[in-house]
């Protein structure tokens, strides 16, 4: 079962700080979504509201058409895994899994066991004594084995080492293909995890600055490489993100659509036009801009 | 219209599940660790008292009557942990605050009765052992009961005190979670009031001794005392639910 998500005019303030600023979007569900944003951009606050960790005070959040806060018909189908465990001291891995088994209606015990073995997690150890990587692995185990209709990983896999993170990405994809559901992942490791995303949302200082299908977003920019004067000619009028020059050869990353005609002419002139990485686009879209004085 | 609507039936069913989980946790910690330690310590003190023929004026005084102290302060401490630590944990598993509150209420009720039964059994066993020496336990502080045979009053005393302290512990834990260590500690002046109120109204054990001997307090009739204690505990639980029902889980 997959659930869609509707967020309408959502605003969250902490005192004078606006953490989420009039954000609206719709996720149709049944996809893997990437939520990107710099530190303090409002990602965790937004995800907390989707999972009913906090009440919505301004705007509206609907999951499967219903408000999630204090609505267990929704919350039992939404699983938010954060970077840090919130289990009280003395809680063991086994306790966490036992609670998940009782409270999560779609809990898959065999799958949880398999993930525990895969991550080599000790069942009897207290959570507070697990390494950061093991705590991440425990969160991932709970997140995947809960088989929740909406599964959210809020930077919860950052503690894993690189090989284990790749194992997780493979496992996530495999399980998602078998059990389609709505998955939202927030991350700083954009290049690494970007290949998983079908749609990307980018938050910047609490505002939603982009919500596109990944393929569409990737066409929003280009890297043009070739003789410097030709590169300058083709990229004229576009937003230049970065430039590198070696002798007469130049490589320029631009944000903006290069027309089909211009692309054809550039290629015939010997220029290479490639797509930009998600990370380059993210950096551009969230770059600090000087406030007008 | 959506099918994802909470119903009272679902809330109570999941609240019961939550209560079961919390009670099992308390049974594990209390039953496997705390109560055996209490029994061993008090049996040891009792054995020492018998071996030495008693201590001065306190010869053949009841040892088990003092079990009332750990048997209300340990549940108080556990309830603080539940209030501060288990709510975010359970919400992260998809429980609502309302379901959690029902679960805590069930846990308080079950644990209070269980501890009361253990208390009553302890008094009965003590009475039998003292009887082997031709003696009867002497109670040195006020109680609702006069002897261990007043089982309903023994159960009432233990259960009322334990439940009031657990409800207070839940409130304390919730305020610590919401306001942090400094403010939570400062608020103890207020959050401890339910337990103090029940101690005062019930007027048993050390507290009762101070209230009766020191302040000349006369305990009202039991028909007033017992409903009043239950009302204070219930109001504390409901107030804590109202306090946590829109509580945000911290990042």
């Amino acid at each position: 079962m997959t659930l869609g998500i509707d967020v309408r005019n959502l605003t969250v303030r902490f005192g004078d700080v606006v953490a989420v600023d009039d954000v609206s979007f719709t996720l149709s569900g049944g996809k893997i979504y990437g939520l990107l944003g710099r530190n303090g951009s409002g990602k965790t606050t937004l995800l907390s509201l989707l999972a009913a960790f906090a009440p919505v005070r301004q705007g509206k959040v609907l999951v499967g058409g219903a408000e999630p806060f204090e609505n267990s018909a929704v919350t039992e189908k939404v699983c938010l895994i954060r970077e840090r465990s919130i289990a009280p001291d003395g809680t063991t891995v086994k306790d966490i899994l036992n609670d998940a088994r009782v409270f999560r209606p779609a809990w898959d015990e065999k799958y949880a066991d398999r993930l525990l073995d895969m991550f080599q997690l000790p069942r009897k150890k207290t959570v507070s004594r697990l390494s950061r990587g093991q705590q991440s692995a425990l969160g991932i185990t709970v997140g995947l084995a809960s088989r929740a209709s909406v599964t959210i990983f809020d930077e919860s896999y950052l503690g894993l080492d690189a090989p284990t993170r790749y194992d997780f990405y493979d496992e996530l994809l495999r399980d998602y293909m078998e059990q389609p559901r709505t998955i939202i992942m927030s991350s700083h490791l954009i290049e690494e995890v970007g290949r998983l995303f079908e749609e990307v949302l980018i938050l910047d200082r609490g505002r939603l600055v982009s919500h596109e299908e990944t393929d569409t977003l990737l066409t929003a920019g280009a890297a043009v490489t070739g003789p410097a004067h030709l590169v300058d000619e083709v990229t004229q009028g576009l937003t230049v993100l970065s430039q590198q020059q070696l002798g007469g050869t130049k490589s320029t990353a631009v944000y903006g659509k290069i027309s089909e005609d211009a692309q054809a002419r550039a290629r015939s002139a010997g220029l290479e036009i490639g797509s930009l990485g998600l990370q380059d686009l993210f950096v551009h879209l969230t770059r600090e801009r000087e406030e007008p004085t | 219209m959506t099918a994802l609507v909470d119903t009272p039936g679902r809330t109570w069913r999941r609240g019961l599940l939550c209560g079961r989980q919390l009670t099992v946790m308390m049974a594990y910690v209390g039953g496997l660790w705390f109560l055996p330690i209490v029994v061993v310590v008090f049996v040891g003190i009792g054995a020492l008292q018998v071996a030495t023929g008693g201590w001065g004026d306190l010869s053949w005084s009841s040892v088990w009557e003092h079990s009332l102290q750990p048997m209300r302060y340990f549940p108080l401490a556990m309830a603080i942990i539940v209030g501060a630590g288990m709510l975010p944990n359970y919400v992260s598993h998809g429980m609502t605050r309302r379901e959690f509150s029902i679960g805590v209420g069930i846990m308080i009720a079950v644990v209070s009765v269980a501890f009361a039964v253990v208390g009553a059994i302890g008094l009965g066993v003590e009475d039998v052992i003292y009887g082997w020496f031709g003696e009867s336990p002497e109670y040195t502080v006020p109680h609702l009961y006069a002897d261990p045979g007043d089982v309903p009053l023994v159960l009432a005393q233990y259960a009322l005190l334990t439940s009031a302290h657990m409800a207070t512990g839940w409130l304390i834990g919730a305020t610590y979670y919401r306001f942090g260590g400094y403010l939570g500690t400062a608020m103890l002046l207020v959050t401890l009031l339910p337990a103090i109120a029940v101690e005062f109204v019930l007027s048993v054990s050390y507290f009762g001794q101070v209230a009766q001997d020191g302040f000349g307090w006369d305990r009202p009739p039991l028909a007033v005392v017992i409903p009043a204690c239950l009302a204070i505990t219930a109001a504390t639980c409901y107030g804590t639910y109202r306090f946590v029902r829109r509580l945000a889980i911290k990042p």
Side-chain angles (χ1 to χ4, degrees):
Chain A
M1 185 185 183
T2 65
L3 293 177
I5 293 170
D6 251 322
V7 173
R8 296 175 199 159
N9 305 109
L10 182 67
T11 297
V12 181
R13 289 188 180 86
F14 297 116
D16 293 337
V17 178
V18 182
V20 176
D21 189 2
D22 196 26
V23 166
S24 298
F25 61 85
T26 299
L27 308 182
S28 56
K31 291 182 179 177
I32 299 180
Y33 298 90
L35 179 63
L36 308 180
R38 299 172 64 169
N39 289 335
S41 60
K43 300 188 299 294
T44 296
T45 302
L46 173 61
L47 296 178
S48 296
L49 296 176
L50 298 184
F53 277 30
V56 174
R57 298 190 190 281
Q58 192 175 336
K60 201 150 202 169
V61 168
L62 300 173
V63 177
E67 293 184 10
F69 191 75
E70 288 296 274
N71 180 357
S72 70
V74 175
T75 56
E76 71 175 12
K77 295 181 175 64
V78 179
C79 181
L80 166 60
I81 303 296
R82 290 170 159 182
E83 186 183 0
R84 280 178 296 181
S85 167
I86 50 177
D89 282 348
T91 308
T92 63
V93 171
K94 197 174 153 190
D95 294 334
I96 295 278
L97 298 177
N98 187 37
D99 285 339
R101 180 174 55 77
V102 171
F103 297 137
R104 291 290 179 190
W107 179 253
D108 188 330
E109 187 80 12
K110 283 182 183 169
Y111 186 40
D113 285 339
R114 195 166 73 70
L115 290 170
L116 286 184
D117 292 340
M118 183 177 119
F119 292 123
Q120 299 177 325
L121 277 174
R123 288 168 171 77
K124 290 182 179 172
K125 209 167 182 179
T126 54
V127 176
S128 57
R129 298 186 71 179
L130 295 177
S131 68
R132 188 174 173 225
Q134 286 176 317
Q135 289 198 19
S136 292
L138 176 60
I140 287 165
T141 301
V142 172
L144 289 177
S146 289
R147 293 266 159 80
S149 303
V150 177
T151 304
I152 305 170
F153 293 104
D154 183 13
E155 300 184 346
S156 47
Y157 41 91
L158 296 185
L160 299 175
D161 56 33
T164 316
R165 281 203 305 276
Y166 281 92
D167 286 345
F168 161 59
Y169 303 145
D170 292 341
E171 185 58 38
L172 177 77
L173 268 184
R174 195 197 60 73
D175 193 55
Y176 168 71
M177 298 302 282
E178 277 182 18
Q179 309 264 341
R181 51 200 193 265
T182 304
I183 293 175
I184 303 174
M185 302 173 77
S186 78
S187 180
H188 289 129
L189 306 171
I190 299 167
E191 290 298 337
E192 200 174 286
V193 78
R195 66 186 170 98
L196 302 175
F197 301 154
E198 294 169 83
E199 284 185 29
V200 174
L201 297 92
I202 298 179
L203 280 181
D204 185 36
R205 281 167 284 186
R207 298 189 71 89
L208 184 68
V209 294
S210 176
H211 175 201
E212 300 277 3
E213 288 190 358
T214 309
D215 292 341
T216 307
L217 184 61
L218 289 175
T219 61
V224 185
T225 307
H229 68 284
L230 289 176
V231 170
D232 288 342
E233 194 178 303
V234 169
T235 59
Q236 198 172 20
L238 298 173
T239 305
V240 174
L241 305 183
S242 63
Q243 289 181 322
Q244 285 180 315
Q245 189 162 354
L246 188 61
T249 303
K250 193 173 189 180
S251 179
T252 299
V254 292
Y255 182 77
K257 186 90 174 163
I258 301 174
S259 68
E260 297 292 329
D261 286 349
Q263 285 194 39
R265 274 188 277 113
R267 287 203 172 96
S268 65
L271 292 180
E272 284 180 25
I273 300 180
S275 61
L276 271 187
L278 193 55
Q279 182 149 295
D280 292 324
L281 287 165
F282 168 73
V283 169
H284 167 66
L285 289 168
T286 60
R287 179 172 284 158
E288 291 281 356
R289 290 169 188 81
E290 285 185 18
E291 297 292 333
T293 52
Chain B
M1 283 297 287
T2 173
L4 299 177
V5 178
D6 218 349
T7 59
R10 165 195 286 277
T11 299
W12 279 98
R13 182 174 53 78
R14 286 172 59 86
L16 281 169
L17 272 181
C18 183
R20 190 189 72 185
Q21 290 298 99
L22 289 170
T23 305
V24 167
M25 180 193 74
M26 281 294 293
Y28 178 77
V29 181
L32 290 184
W33 294 98
F34 170 70
L35 284 176
I37 291 171
V38 167
V39 169
V40 167
V41 167
F42 279 88
V43 166
I45 294 171
L48 192 64
Q49 185 166 288
V50 168
T52 59
W55 296 310
D57 291 343
L58 298 179
S59 56
W60 300 109
S61 64
S62 171
V63 172
W64 189 253
E65 68 172 338
H66 304 295
S67 70
L68 202 55
Q69 311 310 323
M71 283 172 66
R72 61 183 192 260
Y73 295 124
F74 170 77
L76 171 85
M78 286 299 293
I80 291 173
I81 293 170
V82 166
M86 297 309 285
L87 173 68
N89 190 35
Y90 279 21
V91 168
S92 77
H93 282 303
M95 302 298 285
T96 64
R97 292 146 187 81
R98 191 166 49 245
E99 291 162 355
F100 178 78
S101 300
I102 291 170
V104 174
I106 291 166
M107 176 194 73
I108 290 174
V110 173
V111 170
S112 301
V113 170
F115 273 45
V117 169
V118 171
I121 291 171
L123 285 176
V125 169
E126 182 184 64
D127 193 43
V128 170
I129 293 172
Y130 279 39
W132 293 340
F133 298 91
E135 302 285 347
S136 292
E138 295 170 18
Y139 299 117
T140 56
V141 289
H143 295 287
L144 292 186
Y145 52 85
D147 67 75
D150 295 338
V151 175
L153 290 180
V154 172
L155 292 175
Q157 177 174 308
Y158 274 93
L160 289 173
L161 274 176
T162 302
S163 58
H165 281 76
M166 289 189 82
T168 303
W170 180 26
L171 174 62
I172 292 170
T175 53
Y176 266 92
Y177 183 75
R178 170 66 182 81
F179 298 112
Y182 291 118
L183 205 50
T185 302
M187 290 181 74
L188 285 174
L189 291 169
V190 176
T191 52
L192 274 170
L193 283 178
I196 293 171
V198 167
E199 292 271 15
F200 193 74
V201 172
L202 204 56
S203 195
V204 296
S205 193
Y206 302 148
F207 214 97
Q209 196 170 31
V210 172
Q212 290 180 23
D213 297 347
F215 296 95
W217 165 258
D218 284 329
R219 184 193 302 133
L222 290 178
V224 173
V225 166
I226 292 176
C229 291
L230 287 172
I232 292 168
T233 301
T236 306
C237 287
Y238 182 69
T240 308
Y241 160 64
R242 298 279 297 185
F243 177 68
V244 302
R245 69 182 181 146
R246 291 184 69 78
L247 192 62
I249 304 305
K250 293 179 180 176

